[in-house]
Tab-separated table of all heavy atoms in Angstrom:
chain	number	residue	atom	x	y	z
A	147	PRO	N	-12.290	12.601	-0.988
A	147	PRO	CA	-11.255	13.577	-1.327
A	147	PRO	C	-11.865	14.981	-1.379
A	147	PRO	O	-13.093	15.079	-1.539
A	147	PRO	CB	-10.785	13.136	-2.718
A	147	PRO	CG	-11.498	11.862	-3.041
A	147	PRO	CD	-12.630	11.709	-2.103
A	148	PRO	N	-11.117	16.051	-1.216
A	148	PRO	CA	-9.650	16.085	-1.166
A	148	PRO	C	-9.110	15.829	0.246
A	148	PRO	O	-9.782	16.098	1.226
A	148	PRO	CB	-9.332	17.525	-1.587
A	148	PRO	CG	-10.504	18.321	-1.126
A	148	PRO	CD	-11.693	17.413	-1.245
A	149	PHE	N	-7.881	15.304	0.296
A	149	PHE	CA	-7.138	15.150	1.554
A	149	PHE	C	-5.653	14.963	1.238
A	149	PHE	O	-5.300	14.779	0.067
A	149	PHE	CB	-7.683	13.970	2.373
A	149	PHE	CG	-7.827	12.664	1.630
A	149	PHE	CD1	-6.727	11.879	1.331
A	149	PHE	CD2	-9.091	12.207	1.224
A	149	PHE	CE1	-6.870	10.670	0.646
A	149	PHE	CE2	-9.233	10.994	0.543
A	149	PHE	CZ	-8.121	10.229	0.252
A	150	MET	N	-4.833	14.999	2.273
A	150	MET	CA	-3.411	14.682	2.077
A	150	MET	C	-3.249	13.207	2.393
A	150	MET	O	-3.976	12.665	3.241
A	150	MET	CB	-2.508	15.482	3.025
A	150	MET	CG	-2.453	16.962	2.802
A	150	MET	SD	-2.072	17.503	1.122
A	150	MET	CE	-0.337	17.132	0.979
A	151	CYS	N	-2.290	12.571	1.733
A	151	CYS	CA	-2.044	11.153	2.003
A	151	CYS	C	-0.557	10.915	2.227
A	151	CYS	O	0.275	11.371	1.442
A	151	CYS	CB	-2.533	10.301	0.833
A	151	CYS	SG	-2.144	8.550	1.068
A	152	LEU	N	-0.253	10.210	3.308
A	152	LEU	CA	1.118	9.757	3.565
A	152	LEU	C	1.150	8.286	3.168
A	152	LEU	O	0.501	7.455	3.801
A	152	LEU	CB	1.456	9.937	5.052
A	152	LEU	CG	2.804	9.380	5.498
A	152	LEU	CD1	3.966	10.135	4.849
A	152	LEU	CD2	2.925	9.444	7.022
A	153	LEU	N	1.863	7.996	2.089
A	153	LEU	CA	1.911	6.636	1.561
A	153	LEU	C	3.213	5.981	1.998
A	153	LEU	O	4.290	6.416	1.599
A	153	LEU	CB	1.828	6.733	0.033
A	153	LEU	CG	1.371	5.521	-0.760
A	153	LEU	CD1	2.260	4.312	-0.563
A	153	LEU	CD2	-0.068	5.158	-0.430
A	154	VAL	N	3.098	4.984	2.867
A	154	VAL	CA	4.304	4.360	3.423
A	154	VAL	C	4.247	2.845	3.220
A	154	VAL	O	3.461	2.161	3.849
A	154	VAL	CB	4.466	4.715	4.925
A	154	VAL	CG1	5.118	6.060	5.100
A	154	VAL	CG2	3.132	4.699	5.689
A	155	SER	N	5.095	2.330	2.327
A	155	SER	CA	5.059	0.890	2.053
A	155	SER	C	6.481	0.350	1.939
A	155	SER	O	7.445	1.033	2.276
A	155	SER	CB	4.265	0.628	0.774
A	155	SER	OG	5.023	1.034	-0.332
A	156	GLY	N	6.573	-0.882	1.423
A	156	GLY	CA	7.893	-1.477	1.257
A	156	GLY	C	8.663	-0.856	0.104
A	156	GLY	O	9.885	-0.986	0.022
A	157	ALA	N	7.969	-0.190	-0.780
A	157	ALA	CA	8.635	0.377	-1.957
A	157	ALA	C	8.473	1.891	-2.067
A	157	ALA	O	9.175	2.524	-2.843
A	157	ALA	CB	8.085	-0.280	-3.219
A	158	HIS	N	7.537	2.468	-1.317
A	158	HIS	CA	7.246	3.904	-1.453
A	158	HIS	C	7.212	4.617	-0.111
A	158	HIS	O	6.750	4.059	0.876
A	158	HIS	CB	5.876	4.114	-2.104
A	158	HIS	CG	5.841	3.729	-3.543
A	158	HIS	ND1	5.598	2.456	-3.949
A	158	HIS	CD2	6.037	4.472	-4.664
A	158	HIS	CE1	5.650	2.406	-5.271
A	158	HIS	NE2	5.918	3.616	-5.724
A	159	THR	N	7.655	5.865	-0.141
A	159	THR	CA	7.396	6.789	0.968
A	159	THR	C	7.106	8.113	0.293
A	159	THR	O	8.004	8.767	-0.225
A	159	THR	CB	8.624	6.939	1.890
A	159	THR	OG1	9.055	5.635	2.253
A	159	THR	CG2	8.291	7.732	3.135
A	160	SER	N	5.843	8.474	0.246
A	160	SER	CA	5.464	9.687	-0.491
A	160	SER	C	4.388	10.447	0.250
A	160	SER	O	3.630	9.872	1.035
A	160	SER	CB	4.884	9.331	-1.868
A	160	SER	OG	5.851	8.753	-2.693
A	161	ILE	N	4.337	11.756	-0.038
A	161	ILE	CA	3.200	12.557	0.406
A	161	ILE	C	2.458	12.956	-0.867
A	161	ILE	O	3.066	13.486	-1.811
A	161	ILE	CB	3.655	13.812	1.174
A	161	ILE	CG1	4.441	13.408	2.431
A	161	ILE	CG2	2.446	14.677	1.566
A	161	ILE	CD1	5.043	14.573	3.194
A	162	PHE	N	1.158	12.654	-0.885
A	162	PHE	CA	0.334	13.012	-2.038
A	162	PHE	C	-0.755	13.970	-1.615
A	162	PHE	O	-1.310	13.859	-0.521
A	162	PHE	CB	-0.358	11.777	-2.631
A	162	PHE	CG	0.565	10.769	-3.243
A	162	PHE	CD1	0.731	9.515	-2.677
A	162	PHE	CD2	1.277	11.063	-4.405
A	162	PHE	CE1	1.575	8.571	-3.247
A	162	PHE	CE2	2.120	10.132	-4.984
A	162	PHE	CZ	2.270	8.880	-4.405
A	163	LYS	N	-1.093	14.872	-2.519
A	163	LYS	CA	-2.325	15.649	-2.356
A	163	LYS	C	-3.341	14.910	-3.221
A	163	LYS	O	-3.176	14.798	-4.447
A	163	LYS	CB	-2.096	17.084	-2.842
A	163	LYS	CG	-3.367	17.835	-3.113
A	163	LYS	CD	-3.585	18.930	-2.100
A	163	LYS	CE	-4.963	19.538	-2.196
A	163	LYS	NZ	-5.390	19.934	-3.500
A	164	VAL	N	-4.364	14.348	-2.565
A	164	VAL	CA	-5.384	13.591	-3.304
A	164	VAL	C	-6.512	14.563	-3.628
A	164	VAL	O	-7.247	15.004	-2.743
A	164	VAL	CB	-5.879	12.379	-2.474
A	164	VAL	CG1	-6.950	11.607	-3.233
A	164	VAL	CG2	-4.711	11.464	-2.119
A	165	ASP	N	-6.621	14.921	-4.902
A	165	ASP	CA	-7.596	15.932	-5.307
A	165	ASP	C	-8.966	15.326	-5.545
A	165	ASP	O	-9.983	15.956	-5.304
A	165	ASP	CB	-7.128	16.627	-6.600
A	165	ASP	CG	-5.787	17.292	-6.388
A	165	ASP	OD1	-5.717	18.171	-5.515
A	165	ASP	OD2	-4.805	16.911	-7.049
A	166	ASP	N	-8.955	14.108	-6.058
A	166	ASP	CA	-10.211	13.435	-6.401
A	166	ASP	C	-9.944	11.934	-6.346
A	166	ASP	O	-8.804	11.513	-6.175
A	166	ASP	CB	-10.623	13.887	-7.817
A	166	ASP	CG	-12.121	13.710	-8.032
A	166	ASP	OD1	-12.740	12.997	-7.207
A	166	ASP	OD2	-12.648	14.257	-9.002
A	167	TYR	N	-10.993	11.132	-6.555
A	167	TYR	CA	-10.808	9.680	-6.491
A	167	TYR	C	-9.774	9.180	-7.500
A	167	TYR	O	-9.123	8.175	-7.274
A	167	TYR	CB	-12.150	8.971	-6.732
A	167	TYR	CG	-13.109	9.119	-5.576
A	167	TYR	CD1	-14.216	9.963	-5.673
A	167	TYR	CD2	-12.912	8.420	-4.393
A	167	TYR	CE1	-15.095	10.099	-4.613
A	167	TYR	CE2	-13.791	8.552	-3.328
A	167	TYR	CZ	-14.880	9.387	-3.434
A	167	TYR	OH	-15.742	9.525	-2.385
A	168	THR	N	-9.625	9.863	-8.595
A	168	THR	CA	-8.690	9.372	-9.617
A	168	THR	C	-7.531	10.335	-9.895
A	168	THR	O	-6.727	10.078	-10.779
A	168	THR	CB	-9.442	9.102	-10.946
A	168	THR	OG1	-10.061	10.325	-11.357
A	168	THR	CG2	-10.491	8.028	-10.790
A	169	LYS	N	-7.478	11.442	-9.121
A	169	LYS	CA	-6.405	12.419	-9.389
A	169	LYS	C	-5.610	12.693	-8.126
A	169	LYS	O	-6.190	13.029	-7.093
A	169	LYS	CB	-6.994	13.745	-9.877
A	169	LYS	CG	-7.632	13.658	-11.237
A	169	LYS	CD	-7.916	15.074	-11.771
A	169	LYS	CE	-8.855	14.993	-12.951
A	169	LYS	NZ	-10.278	14.954	-12.564
A	170	PHE	N	-4.295	12.556	-8.225
A	170	PHE	CA	-3.457	12.900	-7.082
A	170	PHE	C	-2.103	13.409	-7.546
A	170	PHE	O	-1.638	13.072	-8.629
A	170	PHE	CB	-3.330	11.718	-6.115
A	170	PHE	CG	-2.646	10.496	-6.669
A	170	PHE	CD1	-1.405	10.122	-6.217
A	170	PHE	CD2	-3.268	9.719	-7.630
A	170	PHE	CE1	-0.773	8.991	-6.712
A	170	PHE	CE2	-2.653	8.583	-8.134
A	170	PHE	CZ	-1.393	8.221	-7.674
A	171	THR	N	-1.499	14.274	-6.714
A	171	THR	CA	-0.221	14.881	-7.078
A	171	THR	C	0.776	14.575	-5.969
A	171	THR	O	0.457	14.726	-4.791
A	171	THR	CB	-0.354	16.427	-7.129
A	171	THR	OG1	-1.690	16.768	-7.429
A	171	THR	CG2	0.593	17.053	-8.097
A	172	GLN	N	1.976	14.207	-6.372
A	172	GLN	CA	3.005	13.925	-5.370
A	172	GLN	C	3.681	15.223	-4.952
A	172	GLN	O	4.118	15.986	-5.802
A	172	GLN	CB	4.031	12.963	-5.963
A	172	GLN	CG	5.115	12.558	-4.987
A	172	GLN	CD	5.927	11.404	-5.509
A	172	GLN	OE1	5.723	10.255	-5.159
A	172	GLN	NE2	6.874	11.706	-6.371
A	173	VAL	N	3.768	15.461	-3.634
A	173	VAL	CA	4.449	16.683	-3.193
A	173	VAL	C	5.789	16.357	-2.535
A	173	VAL	O	6.603	17.250	-2.308
A	173	VAL	CB	3.566	17.559	-2.262
A	173	VAL	CG1	2.276	17.947	-2.938
A	173	VAL	CG2	3.277	16.885	-0.936
A	174	GLY	N	6.030	15.089	-2.228
A	174	GLY	CA	7.318	14.694	-1.654
A	174	GLY	C	7.477	13.194	-1.738
A	174	GLY	O	6.492	12.460	-1.833
A	175	GLN	N	8.747	12.740	-1.686
A	175	GLN	CA	9.003	11.297	-1.742
A	175	GLN	C	10.375	10.988	-1.145
A	175	GLN	O	11.177	11.905	-0.940
A	175	GLN	CB	8.967	10.817	-3.184
A	175	GLN	CG	10.049	11.439	-4.045
A	175	GLN	CD	10.051	10.898	-5.464
A	175	GLN	OE1	9.861	9.713	-5.687
A	175	GLN	NE2	10.281	11.773	-6.429
A	176	SER	N	10.639	9.730	-0.902
A	176	SER	CA	11.957	9.374	-0.383
A	176	SER	C	12.980	9.485	-1.508
A	176	SER	O	12.713	9.048	-2.631
A	176	SER	CB	11.958	7.944	0.166
A	176	SER	OG	13.267	7.633	0.564
A	177	VAL	N	14.135	10.056	-1.180
A	177	VAL	CA	15.173	10.169	-2.206
A	177	VAL	C	16.041	8.911	-2.214
A	177	VAL	O	16.883	8.740	-3.084
A	177	VAL	CB	16.057	11.430	-1.994
A	177	VAL	CG1	15.237	12.700	-2.138
A	177	VAL	CG2	16.770	11.388	-0.637
A	178	ASP	N	15.847	8.044	-1.221
A	178	ASP	CA	16.615	6.789	-1.224
A	178	ASP	C	15.712	5.616	-0.829
A	178	ASP	O	14.862	5.224	-1.597
A	178	ASP	CB	17.876	6.899	-0.354
A	178	ASP	CG	17.644	7.650	0.954
A	178	ASP	OD1	16.714	7.270	1.681
A	178	ASP	OD2	18.386	8.612	1.247
A	179	ASP	N	15.893	5.080	0.392
A	179	ASP	CA	15.126	3.888	0.778
A	179	ASP	C	13.682	4.238	1.115
A	179	ASP	O	13.403	5.318	1.644
A	179	ASP	CB	15.740	3.248	2.031
A	179	ASP	CG	17.140	2.756	1.772
A	179	ASP	OD1	17.535	2.719	0.602
A	179	ASP	OD2	17.834	2.409	2.743
A	180	ALA	N	12.787	3.285	0.866
A	180	ALA	CA	11.421	3.439	1.347
A	180	ALA	C	11.417	3.094	2.833
A	180	ALA	O	12.277	2.356	3.317
A	180	ALA	CB	10.490	2.495	0.597
A	181	VAL	N	10.419	3.630	3.547
A	181	VAL	CA	10.414	3.431	4.990
A	181	VAL	C	10.246	1.949	5.372
A	181	VAL	O	10.891	1.464	6.311
A	181	VAL	CB	9.380	4.373	5.667
A	181	VAL	CG1	7.963	4.019	5.306
A	181	VAL	CG2	9.541	4.378	7.170
A	182	GLY	N	9.433	1.207	4.613
A	182	GLY	CA	9.256	-0.227	4.895
A	182	GLY	C	10.566	-0.983	4.722
A	182	GLY	O	10.886	-1.901	5.493
A	183	GLU	N	11.336	-0.561	3.712
A	183	GLU	CA	12.648	-1.156	3.455
A	183	GLU	C	13.559	-0.946	4.674
A	183	GLU	O	14.299	-1.849	5.064
A	183	GLU	CB	13.231	-0.376	2.281
A	183	GLU	CG	13.803	-1.157	1.165
A	183	GLU	CD	14.303	-0.199	0.082
A	183	GLU	OE1	13.591	0.772	-0.279
A	183	GLU	OE2	15.426	-0.433	-0.392
A	184	ALA	N	13.513	0.261	5.241
A	184	ALA	CA	14.336	0.575	6.415
A	184	ALA	C	13.922	-0.303	7.599
A	184	ALA	O	14.778	-0.834	8.320
A	184	ALA	CB	14.222	2.056	6.762
A	185	PHE	N	12.614	-0.484	7.798
A	185	PHE	CA	12.141	-1.380	8.864
A	185	PHE	C	12.686	-2.796	8.647
A	185	PHE	O	13.165	-3.443	9.584
A	185	PHE	CB	10.598	-1.435	8.876
A	185	PHE	CG	9.963	-0.485	9.860
A	185	PHE	CD1	9.484	0.749	9.442
A	185	PHE	CD2	9.843	-0.827	11.206
A	185	PHE	CE1	8.889	1.632	10.347
A	185	PHE	CE2	9.246	0.052	12.110
A	185	PHE	CZ	8.769	1.280	11.685
A	186	ASP	N	12.585	-3.278	7.404
A	186	ASP	CA	13.025	-4.647	7.110
A	186	ASP	C	14.530	-4.800	7.341
A	186	ASP	O	14.996	-5.816	7.853
A	186	ASP	CB	12.652	-5.032	5.663
A	186	ASP	CG	11.137	-5.121	5.482
A	186	ASP	OD1	10.423	-5.343	6.480
A	186	ASP	OD2	10.660	-4.951	4.340
A	187	LYS	N	15.287	-3.742	6.983
A	187	LYS	CA	16.740	-3.801	7.140
A	187	LYS	C	17.122	-3.794	8.630
A	187	LYS	O	17.966	-4.576	9.070
A	187	LYS	CB	17.367	-2.596	6.410
A	187	LYS	CG	18.864	-2.582	6.399
A	187	LYS	CD	19.415	-3.652	5.486
A	187	LYS	CE	20.869	-3.933	5.817
A	187	LYS	NZ	21.651	-4.418	4.732
A	188	VAL	N	16.487	-2.914	9.388
A	188	VAL	CA	16.781	-2.827	10.825
A	188	VAL	C	16.443	-4.165	11.492
A	188	VAL	O	17.210	-4.682	12.319
A	188	VAL	CB	16.002	-1.647	11.471
A	188	VAL	CG1	16.000	-1.737	12.988
A	188	VAL	CG2	16.620	-0.323	11.022
A	189	ALA	N	15.326	-4.759	11.104
A	189	ALA	CA	14.939	-6.059	11.671
A	189	ALA	C	16.016	-7.096	11.391
A	189	ALA	O	16.388	-7.887	12.265
A	189	ALA	CB	13.607	-6.505	11.066
A	190	ARG	N	16.561	-7.064	10.185
A	190	ARG	CA	17.587	-8.041	9.813
A	190	ARG	C	18.854	-7.829	10.640
A	190	ARG	O	19.451	-8.772	11.144
A	190	ARG	CB	17.900	-7.906	8.311
A	190	ARG	CG	18.448	-9.190	7.724
A	190	ARG	CD	18.616	-9.112	6.230
A	190	ARG	NE	17.448	-8.604	5.534
A	190	ARG	CZ	17.487	-7.964	4.362
A	190	ARG	NH1	18.645	-7.728	3.774
A	190	ARG	NH2	16.385	-7.544	3.782
A	191	VAL	N	19.232	-6.549	10.790
A	191	VAL	CA	20.470	-6.219	11.512
A	191	VAL	C	20.400	-6.649	12.983
A	191	VAL	O	21.379	-7.122	13.544
A	191	VAL	CB	20.754	-4.696	11.385
A	191	VAL	CG1	21.822	-4.237	12.355
A	191	VAL	CG2	21.155	-4.365	9.971
A	192	VAL	N	19.224	-6.511	13.577
A	192	VAL	CA	19.126	-6.919	14.987
A	192	VAL	C	18.691	-8.392	15.120
A	192	VAL	O	18.468	-8.883	16.216
A	192	VAL	CB	18.215	-5.987	15.841
A	192	VAL	CG1	18.759	-4.580	15.889
A	192	VAL	CG2	16.780	-5.999	15.356
A	193	GLY	N	18.570	-9.068	13.983
A	193	GLY	CA	18.321	-10.512	14.005
A	193	GLY	C	16.867	-10.921	14.183
A	193	GLY	O	16.567	-11.997	14.702
A	194	LEU	N	15.941	-10.062	13.712
A	194	LEU	CA	14.520	-10.419	13.876
A	194	LEU	C	13.949	-11.139	12.658
A	194	LEU	O	12.885	-11.740	12.741
A	194	LEU	CB	13.673	-9.160	14.146
A	194	LEU	CG	13.994	-8.368	15.406
A	194	LEU	CD1	13.095	-7.150	15.512
A	194	LEU	CD2	13.819	-9.245	16.634
A	195	GLY	N	14.631	-11.051	11.529
A	195	GLY	CA	14.157	-11.749	10.328
A	195	GLY	C	13.092	-10.993	9.555
A	195	GLY	O	12.767	-9.843	9.860
A	196	TYR	N	12.541	-11.687	8.549
A	196	TYR	CA	11.584	-11.086	7.603
A	196	TYR	C	10.167	-11.558	7.921
A	196	TYR	O	9.995	-12.698	8.320
A	196	TYR	CB	11.976	-11.502	6.176
A	196	TYR	CG	10.997	-11.051	5.133
A	196	TYR	CD1	11.076	-9.773	4.594
A	196	TYR	CD2	9.970	-11.907	4.722
A	196	TYR	CE1	10.153	-9.363	3.654
A	196	TYR	CE2	9.046	-11.486	3.776
A	196	TYR	CZ	9.141	-10.220	3.248
A	196	TYR	OH	8.229	-9.805	2.325
A	197	PRO	N	9.132	-10.743	7.750
A	197	PRO	CA	9.143	-9.326	7.391
A	197	PRO	C	9.377	-8.468	8.623
A	197	PRO	O	8.827	-8.721	9.705
A	197	PRO	CB	7.746	-9.108	6.826
A	197	PRO	CG	6.885	-10.100	7.535
A	197	PRO	CD	7.766	-11.254	7.917
A	198	GLY	N	10.186	-7.456	8.447
A	198	GLY	CA	10.701	-6.732	9.594
A	198	GLY	C	9.714	-5.841	10.333
A	198	GLY	O	9.719	-5.785	11.558
A	199	GLY	N	8.865	-5.147	9.570
A	199	GLY	CA	8.010	-4.123	10.170
A	199	GLY	C	7.246	-4.591	11.404
A	199	GLY	O	7.414	-4.036	12.503
A	200	PRO	N	6.410	-5.634	11.268
A	200	PRO	CA	5.612	-6.063	12.425
A	200	PRO	C	6.487	-6.528	13.595
A	200	PRO	O	6.147	-6.326	14.752
A	200	PRO	CB	4.792	-7.239	11.880
A	200	PRO	CG	4.850	-7.109	10.399
A	200	PRO	CD	6.092	-6.373	10.049
A	201	LYS	N	7.648	-7.124	13.276
A	201	LYS	CA	8.530	-7.627	14.343
A	201	LYS	C	9.186	-6.474	15.103
A	201	LYS	O	9.316	-6.516	16.325
A	201	LYS	CB	9.582	-8.564	13.757
A	201	LYS	CG	8.943	-9.845	13.251
A	201	LYS	CD	9.935	-10.841	12.754
A	201	LYS	CE	9.163	-12.110	12.396
A	201	LYS	NZ	9.914	-13.047	11.616
A	202	VAL	N	9.592	-5.448	14.376
A	202	VAL	CA	10.198	-4.271	15.027
A	202	VAL	C	9.141	-3.604	15.910
A	202	VAL	O	9.410	-3.253	17.071
A	202	VAL	CB	10.749	-3.266	13.972
A	202	VAL	CG1	11.113	-1.933	14.609
A	202	VAL	CG2	11.954	-3.859	13.255
A	203	GLU	N	7.935	-3.461	15.389
A	203	GLU	CA	6.874	-2.807	16.164
A	203	GLU	C	6.600	-3.576	17.461
A	203	GLU	O	6.472	-2.986	18.536
A	203	GLU	CB	5.577	-2.709	15.340
A	203	GLU	CG	4.477	-2.000	16.124
A	203	GLU	CD	3.146	-1.879	15.386
A	203	GLU	OE1	2.955	-2.535	14.350
A	203	GLU	OE2	2.290	-1.126	15.881
Side-chain angles (χ1 to χ4, degrees):
F149 50 76
M150 293 308 287
C151 176
L152 174 66
L153 201 300
V154 277
S155 73
H158 290 86
T159 309
S160 294
I161 299 175
F162 294 113
K163 162 111 190 311
V164 179
D165 300 300
D166 203 345
Y167 289 107
T168 58
K169 292 192 194 85
F170 64 111
T171 333
Q172 182 168 261
V173 302
Q175 63 177 320
S176 176
V177 296
D178 41 53
D179 297 349
V181 67
E183 228 179 315
F185 264 98
D186 293 336
K187 184 71 199 207
V188 166
R190 205 174 311 153
V191 167
V192 298
L194 298 179
Y196 175 84
K201 292 184 175 166
V202 168
E203 181 181 13

